[in-house]
Amino acid sequence: MSTRDSWRNSWGSGYGGGGLSFGGTSAWGAGGGDTIFRVLSRTSERQSKRRSGIISGFSQDGIYEEDDISVYSERDIPLPPISKAEDWALMPDVKNYAERGEKDHFKSKKLGITWKNLTVKGLGSDAAFNENVASQFNVPRNIKEGRQPSPLNTIIDDSHGCVKPGEMLLVLGRPGSGCTTLLKMLANRRNGYAQVEGDIHFGSMTAKEAGQYRGQIVMNTEEELFFPTLTVRQTMDFATRMKVPYHKFSDQHRDKDFQQEYRDFLLKAMGITHTSATKIGNEYVRGVSGGERKRVSIIETLATRGSVFCWDNSTRGLDASTALQYTKAIRAMTDVVGLSTVVSLYQAGNGIYDLFDKVLVLDEGKQIFYGPREQARPFMEELGFICGDGANVADFLTGVTVPTERSVRPGFETSFPRTAIEIRDDYSRSDIKAIMGKEYNYPQTDEAKDNTKEFKEAVAWDKDKSLPKQSPLTVSFPKQVKACVVRQYQIVWGDKPTFIIKQVATLVQALVVGSLFYKSSTDSSGLFSKSGALFFSLLYQALMALSEVTDSFAGRPVLAKHKAFAFFHPAAFCIAQIAADIPVLLFQVSQFSLVLYFMVSLRLSASAFFIYWVTLLAIAMCITAVMRAIGAVFSTFDGATKLSGFWFSALITYTGYFIPKNRMHPWFVWIYWIDPLSYGFEILLANEVHGQTIPCVNNNLIPNGPGYTDSAFQSCAGVPGAMQGATTVTGDQYLQAFSYKHSHLWRNFGIIWAWWAFFVVVTIVATSNWKEMAGKSGFLVIPRENAKKNTQLLQNDEESQAKEKPASRGQLATLDSSSSSMDEKTIENQLISNTSVFTWKNLTYTVKTPSGDRVLLDNVQGWVKPGMLGALMGSSGAGKTTLLDVLAQRKTEGTITGSVLVDGRPTAVSFQRSAGYCEQLDIHEPLATVREALEFSALLRQCGTVPKEEKLKYVDTIINLLEMQDIEHTLVGRTGAGLSVEQRKRLTIGVELVAKPSILIFLDEPTSGLDGQAAFNTLRFLRKLAAVGQAVLVTIHQPSALLFKEFDTLLLLARGGKTVYFGDIGVEASTLKEYFARNGAPCPKGVNPAEHMIDVVSGSASQGKDWNQIWLESPEHKEVSVEVDRINKEAAGKPPGTLDDGREFATPLWEQTKLVTHRMNVALFRNTDYINNKFALHIGSALFNGFTFWKIGSSVQELQLKLFTIFNFIFVAPGVINQLQPLFIDRRDIYEFREKKSKMYSWIAFVTGLIVSEFPYLCICAVLYFAPWYYTVGFTTDSDKAGATFFVMLFYEFIYTGIGQFVAAYAPNAVFASLVNPALITVLVSFCGVLVPYSQLQEFWRYWMYYLNPFNYLVSSILAFTVFDNVVQCDDHEFAVFNTPNSQTCAEYLAPYLAGLGSRTNLVNPEATSGCRVCQYRYGSDYLSTLNIDDYDVGWRDAGIVVIFAISSYVMVYLLMKLRTKATKTAE
């Protein structure tokens, strides 16, 4: 019996696994039972049942000896260590907290997990089709495929196991074997799976019963999901605030005491205290390093204070030392606290492997081993497999089913199990299976029932008393809201540029619009412009809220994670968003109101201004809530964009400004009633005109001018509400004409807030139902047009077993594939070799930070020679990636000093494309196939003189070399639907190799995220490249001893980019070991030298020494300095190994443009979501516009409706632009982060490709809008006029696409672009002559802004073509009716007027002597003259100008992309 287990179990029974406690409260819940001191004194009670992880627990007949009880006396035997992690630096803290936790007799939170007969199935096969724009309309095939049931894919097949409190289980398997799915099941996350069968018990609870304890059964996923603009401290403050227990110890009075102590402990536990004030960042926001971000992810999970923890590949991106420290931390907490811990790892070193109690091995979902860790290797070896000396046992266990990676003992060649099923059968017959099976009744044991009872009591004790009994949360709702509000403000403050842009844009917009409607008059001529100003006030608030849809999707993954952690109720987050909105919107609305209200000269009274201001605030809040609700309800961004575009258009059209309520068609009038803007518009208009008398003037008064001054013989015309024969109209008459009443003012105000409350509730309900990403296993995606090339993937045949290799000395995984048709020598002969030497000396890289200059690299020097495989290592954050970026000339910021030389000469202009650089992030065009991605790189980056056939032949070589024949015709896709992490990594390497890099190849973390075999394959392949004369420099985090042996030289960095060692590694790392031993840090026997070395430099073995100083004073440093100079001098005296052709790009611009455009065309053709959205938005908007303005007649008011339906066409743009920009920015990021830096092609080719690829779809879109709209509204059917209108509409498609693209070209991200759009579109809309007619525009704007506005020419050309020849027929109420003086006929009385100012009016009863009836216009041309359209030919002139604007908007895309393109930095 293990004394460690005896001690640990007695700790468990006495202390009860009570959890880390801080200042008296248990961090994981409370500790219970007797005090630890009583446990230690009553040694007779220190008895324990055996743990399955101890081999000696088997008796001779293979049965547990459960009655073997050992009794110790403390005088006879010293206390054994509690844990395998006894040497972990913070173990004393853990024990100290545990002892403090005993004093208040808290219950334990021990649980355990048991599962049996677990089978999980997902929807879909191993491969799925990606339809293209054409193939999706193949209706017969769609019907046929739709009738077939979706195939179910078995992800986990009959798994079983038990992890008791205080145990750690290691789950091993290659990528795609089902490890993540198993962990999700054990963390009680079942969403998205088609079928889950079998029993899972948490303690004695079923999975359903455990649902309310989701905050105690937690999982740390592989992705790091954070708000990038928050700092590490802010992130951890939030996490720890959400888990402060209700009952605290007597010496801890405030929540803050617990929270801060707990936060500091977690930061210290993962060694990231120094990053507290640094932003977390992401790919695009600068922040902590990748390894540090992973550690934040780990401690955020620990902050949940759970009982069951599942860790999915949580060491990805960590260096070996940190990974070991992480595992020790988990081991320590598991032992002391009684957690149940399940961990899946790739590349687990033996140091990490030995910390576990049990091991479970999965292969393609089949469980081929589950048992004590110590039994796993012997079991596999008994089956005939060989685990090589120094090999990682974990890698050995996952490699036994892979023909090219397993080694078989002599004599077992014919009898060893070849497949996962055969190994599983052997395991089923073993004693281990029978013994482990005895644990599966654990949920029925008294121990499990007691533990579960105590667990429930402890959770209830931790929980705030105000929370419902079933709630999984910990702190009270007000505290949740408070913490969420604080975080929301931190997010806003962390992203200050966006906030500032919003407010500056609002101020500018208010000034522009205020000047547009400047000092509107109080007579009838000011009515229309004041209505426009009021409408615009509402429109702008709605436009600003549109960006909420984009924001909603940006933060969703983080919120789903926090929901799973039971940090807060979604309502708390929604309320926090509102709380954060209030001051921002208060400021936004106040500055907008103060500027616009008084510039327009709206009603000057305090009450009127207050009503205007408070209405705008209510509308801003309400529309923000509307857009947020749309974002929350939809699961995809495309779906949300589609609805928000339609909804926005509907809200604007049915405000009551474009179409008076009494003119609305009955089939759409319901939109008016559900439109918050319509209530706001009625308030603003009633507030402005109520109680006023408005005189009719100018062409609203007939007749007017010299000789017509007697109001008894005049009448208002064209003023809604004016009585016939009257020359004034009261405000209330005017309101009545629109079915408005002043008495509705406060009623409407209440309705707006009611709508706000409704949409807030919708948001809360939708947010509460957000699911995590569906649990579909990864599958390959095949473009429909490539279906015939992928038959082997679709048939899903059982792979035939490759012929086994007999074991030979040192035989391990190799890259040789039995399926490879090419002879290895042939491949090697085709690989390019290199003769250039690459050196760097005294390299220093400095960046500016808010706190001053920061040195990231400090006098680094070294070299890479042909045939050399160099390793670049260091702890997380030591500057490894930074050094690679600097060497490869990828940095655009900061200052670089020192020298970087190729063959003793400065780097040439072609250096960036002559050196291959595989970035850590595998960034690829998701809608290209593997072969297309490789061919694209080969055709663009290989020398222009190489024939195309030869380039493509070399692609075949690389595909064979990387064993990608099976997947060459599948799409790259995105994670989960597309290539796996390992396949993506191989593609990244392939994309660089097909370019035939002639100087050297840089690889940043090529093994990160891969399993042991894939990592080894990758490195063996790099070794092969070096063997043919290529120079290779690799950064690597966690090399096993086996991987480390493959390297020739090592450059080791400490934090701050300081060199600790550079030089040869030596056979079995002898040179390196000798150096560290000589300086007081010998490598213990059996320890991986790579892990030891990182530990010495930055971990627990550093001994407080300054290893950088030791290096600088060493003879090796002097030798390196001399050698660098010698290499440079010698190389400079010879001809250069790589000839520079003096060209920045390998291929001419025309060739680049053709290739890039082709790729963009193919990508768009396959992007059905994007194209369908575009089409749907056009068809939907056109039908909506057409049926809203159905068959417009020919009255005066209907002339205005014709203007508004054309104006409405403009609003197809915002929806499409919002959808187009994220796509543009995604493509731009791929270009800027990889393709630009490797000088693949010019930015000119990039922009051309993006622009041209849209053209065919824009032409279709123009047809899709024109056809349902033009004839529905009743425009003329003359082909010349219809054709001319279509021509203008087509070029408008190009104009707004160009506008959207030039904004995206310069915008830092999609959210920024979505904030610029409203400002730009509102300016263009304001000055196009619709909201304010040309004659009423202020002179400042009239003579430049009006003429520089493409929308002006769009509207005026379509108006000219459709309205010019219309005959106007006034409705009865539109006539000006008045009597004549002195019994004159109407013709006589009006003769001077009709010859002058009234020349465009129509007198319909010239012979009458009373009741003269005058219509404002005779023809459409008379109306158009008021809009500055005096001639039909103006239509064609303006159409030509529209074409010029279309071209110029695309010129702007080029211009802004050029401005954005920064040169990379070189050493000074």
Side-chain angles (χ1 to χ4, degrees), residues 876-1182:
S876 300
K880 302 181 294 295
T881 302
T882 304
L883 177 58
L884 275 199
D885 282 345
V886 168
L887 292 178
Q889 295 185 2
R890 300 295 172 102
K891 290 292 186 192
T892 55
E893 309 288 341
T895 308
I896 305 168
T897 57
S899 65
V900 178
L901 306 176
V902 177
D903 293 327
R905 301 165 174 83
T907 54
V909 70
S910 60
F911 170 75
Q912 280 172 269
R913 66 177 165 85
S914 305
Y917 187 176
C918 301
E919 302 232 16
Q920 189 173 347
L921 297 168
D922 304 308
I923 298 173
H924 298 283
E925 167 55 63
L927 289 163
T929 65
V930 169
R931 174 172 280 281
E932 286 164 0
L934 294 171
E935 288 182 350
F936 184 71
S937 180
L939 292 170
L940 282 168
R941 286 180 63 189
Q942 285 188 33
C943 186
T945 56
V946 178
K948 182 178 178 181
E949 294 71 27
E950 196 177 312
K951 291 180 181 179
L952 297 181
K953 193 177 174 190
Y954 191 66
V955 170
D956 293 333
T957 304
I958 298 299
I959 285 175
N960 285 323
L961 187 67
L962 290 169
E963 298 181 356
M964 299 178 91
Q965 303 95 320
D966 288 351
I967 57 169
E968 62 175 310
H969 297 298
T970 64
L971 293 181
V972 175
R974 302 191 186 276
T975 316
L979 301 185
S980 68
V981 174
E982 185 227 0
Q983 290 165 335
R984 229 169 257 275
K985 192 62 73 180
R986 277 193 279 161
L987 176 61
T988 302
I989 295 170
V991 162
E992 294 304 315
L993 288 181
V994 292
K996 289 192 176 178
S998 56
I999 296 176
L1000 84 163
I1001 300 173
F1002 299 101
L1003 298 103
D1004 190 14
E1005 300 291 352
T1007 60
S1008 185
L1010 305 186
D1011 68 319
Q1013 277 79 19
F1016 189 77
N1017 287 352
T1018 304
L1019 226 42
R1020 280 296 292 257
F1021 170 61
L1022 296 177
R1023 180 77 265 170
K1024 189 180 286 187
L1025 284 179
V1028 298
Q1030 190 56 269
V1032 185
L1033 182 60
V1034 181
T1035 66
I1036 192 158
H1037 263 320
Q1038 300 173 29
S1040 63
L1042 206 63
L1043 294 183
F1044 194 56
K1045 277 198 284 194
E1046 296 292 329
F1047 291 100
D1048 301 312
T1049 61
L1050 169 72
L1051 172 54
L1052 181 59
L1053 296 178
R1055 184 165 291 285
K1058 297 176 188 298
T1059 307
V1060 172
Y1061 179 83
F1062 176 77
D1064 289 342
I1065 292 171
V1067 181
E1068 300 293 334
S1070 54
T1071 312
L1072 184 66
K1073 286 178 182 174
E1074 189 275 326
Y1075 172 79
F1076 279 101
R1078 175 159 35 94
N1079 290 295
C1083 181
K1085 195 172 190 305
V1087 171
N1088 177 357
E1091 291 183 12
H1092 168 70
M1093 185 184 67
I1094 298 277
D1095 212 22
V1096 165
V1097 174
S1098 60
S1100 55
S1102 64
Q1103 305 167 16
K1105 294 183 179 179
D1106 183 347
W1107 286 95
N1108 173 243
Q1109 196 56 41
I1110 292 170
W1111 165 251
L1112 293 175
E1113 292 165 2
S1114 69
E1116 284 86 351
H1117 172 249
K1118 294 182 180 65
E1119 287 166 18
V1120 167
S1121 301
V1122 171
E1123 180 64 7
V1124 169
D1125 292 336
R1126 189 196 66 74
I1127 291 170
N1128 286 337
K1129 191 172 180 184
E1130 190 179 296
K1134 297 178 185 173
T1138 308
L1139 290 171
D1140 176 32
D1141 57 12
R1143 292 211 303 265
E1144 189 179 6
F1145 304 104
T1147 46
L1149 182 60
W1150 174 241
E1151 195 61 31
Q1152 293 171 35
T1153 306
K1154 281 197 298 185
L1155 287 166
V1156 174
T1157 304
H1158 176 70
R1159 179 175 76 161
M1160 302 285 188
N1161 277 332
V1162 171
L1164 266 193
F1165 184 61
R1166 290 175 180 156
N1167 195 346
T1168 49
D1169 276 353
Y1170 173 74
I1171 297 300
N1172 290 352
N1173 257 356
K1174 222 182 184 52
F1175 289 171
L1177 204 55
H1178 277 80
I1179 295 169
S1181 299

Side-chain angles (χ1 to χ4, degrees), residues 524-525 695-705 708-719 725-728 1376 1378 1390 1393 1397-1398 1401 1414 1416:
S524 65
S525 64
C696 297
V697 295
N698 302 337
N699 61 349
N700 290 133
L701 185 64
I702 296 177
N704 67 66
Y708 299 99
T709 53
D710 190 345
S711 60
F713 305 107
Q714 291 175 306
S715 177
C716 289
V719 179
T727 56
T728 62
F1378 50 88
L1390 293 174
Y1393 173 71
L1397 288 173
T1401 57
V1414 179
Q1416 264 184 298

Side-chain angles (χ1 to χ4, degrees), residues 2 66 187 233 321 615 687 759 828 903 1004 1138 1212 1218 1465:
S2 155
E66 293 201 345
R233 175 178 282 122
S321 170
T615 304
N687 181 50
F759 287 114
E828 286 188 8
D903 293 327
D1004 190 14
T1138 308
V1212 76
N1218 269 0
K1465 298 276 182 179

